[in-house]
Amino acid sequence: MNETNPNEFAGVVLFRELPVAQLQELIPLLHHKTFASGATMMTAEQAGEVVYLIQTGTVKVCTESEDGSEVILTILGPGEIVGEMSALDQPMRSASVMTLEKTEALWIDRALFHRCLLTMPRLAYNLACILSARLRMADDQIRSLARLEVENRVARQLMSFAERYGQPQPNGDTHIPIRLTQGDIAALIGASREHINKIIVAYKERGYLSVDRQYHITIHNSQALAKRC
């Protein structure tokens, strides 16, 4: 990538507080790629040759259960990294990644990424923080599945997305600019799509939230939604 403004990477969590000189060193190593909606970025058991940084769009990280149904491990949006695990500790992917809408991403070769981690302490620290945060979210997800009713899980998941990706609006609303269909929310929290539909419809009727044609959710009453977590 040439003549790239370092400010373009302000939202990339991996590059947070990275010295400008090191960011300038990284820029030529990054390559741009566009994925259509529904495209497969990587598959489980595939050799992990590259690491992706999401610029725009939404992706789901998923696996297949024993009965063949899809299990969504997480949904990620702009600023997130995918493919980092195989770049660290194993040659094969542990899950598949598919786009939920048109997605712009940057990629870097696995060997170069590994070299940068060894020579850029801040980059390695940021990656450790990302992995730690994801582990906490996974633990929280397990506790939610074990202890909470479906409505509580839905509210909790929406509030989590709002915290990670939410864009505050002038009127006090919070817009979540990632694609979240009822089916994907269901697969993420371990519930049926029909049950999720009833909950989302009820939240709409109460004025807690709204959903646009791109399946982007806007939260209008975060306090009411938080009480249902």
Side-chain angles (χ1 to χ4, degrees), residues 70-72 141 145 148-150 153 157 183-193 195-196:
E70 180 184 71
V71 177
I72 296 181
Q141 186 80 343
L145 288 171
L148 299 180
E149 297 295 331
V150 174
R153 280 183 256 158
Q157 190 64 67
D184 288 331
I185 293 174
L188 181 61
I189 68 170
S192 69
R193 184 190 177 284
H195 201 160
I196 300 301

Side-chain angles (χ1 to χ4, degrees), residues 151-152 155 159 203 208 221-229:
E151 182 181 358
N152 305 128
M159 292 301 293
Y203 284 171
Y208 295 171
N221 192 336
S222 59
Q223 291 184 338
L225 204 58
K227 288 180 180 179
R228 282 156 176 79
C229 291

Side-chain angles (χ1 to χ4, degrees), residues 38-221:
T40 299
M41 294 179 70
M42 58 186 71
T43 59
E45 304 304 322
Q46 175 189 45
E49 298 296 337
V50 299
V51 175
Y52 290 102
L53 300 170
I54 303 170
Q55 289 185 296
T56 64
T58 313
V59 305
K60 62 180 176 181
V61 181
C62 53
T63 61
E64 189 176 284
S65 65
E66 292 183 0
D67 64 4
S69 61
E70 180 184 71
V71 177
I72 296 181
L73 303 178
T74 190
I75 294 175
L76 301 173
E80 297 283 0
I81 181 174
V82 290
E84 76 291 340
M85 289 181 61
S86 60
L88 288 173
D89 64 355
Q90 56 187 0
M92 308 301 284
R93 305 289 190 191
S94 59
S96 298
V97 178
M98 298 182 64
T99 61
L100 297 176
E101 58 187 334
K102 180 181 177 182
T103 299
E104 305 280 342
L106 297 172
W107 65 269
I108 181 172
D109 175 82
R110 176 180 184 271
L112 291 175
F113 180 67
H114 196 261
R115 188 190 75 188
C116 291
L117 290 175
L118 293 175
T119 58
M120 301 178 182
R122 183 71 204 189
L123 193 73
Y125 173 79
N126 286 345
L127 181 59
C129 290
I130 291 170
L131 295 176
S132 177
R134 290 184 181 176
L135 180 59
R136 284 197 301 271
M137 285 190 291
D139 288 342
D140 185 61
Q141 186 80 343
I142 292 171
R143 287 194 296 268
S144 296
L145 288 171
R147 302 186 321 194
L148 299 180
E149 297 295 331
V150 174
E151 182 181 358
N152 305 128
R153 280 183 256 158
V154 172
R156 196 178 188 89
Q157 190 64 67
L158 293 179
M159 292 301 293
S160 175
F161 282 130
E163 181 179 352
R164 288 160 61 194
Y165 303 114
Q167 299 174 343
Q169 304 298 299
N171 63 354
D173 291 348
T174 300
H175 180 66
I176 305 175
I178 62 175
R179 182 181 173 91
L180 296 169
T181 67
Q182 293 178 6
D184 288 331
I185 293 174
L188 181 61
I189 68 170
S192 69
R193 184 190 177 284
E194 292 74 19
H195 201 160
I196 300 301
N197 175 260
K198 291 179 181 178
I199 294 169
I200 295 297
V201 168
Y203 284 171
K204 288 179 181 178
E205 292 174 344
R206 296 171 191 168
Y208 295 171
L209 56 79
S210 59
V211 184
D212 65 22
R213 293 183 178 180
Q214 287 72 46
Y215 300 98
H216 296 169
I217 294 173
T218 297
I219 297 176
H220 305 301
N221 192 336

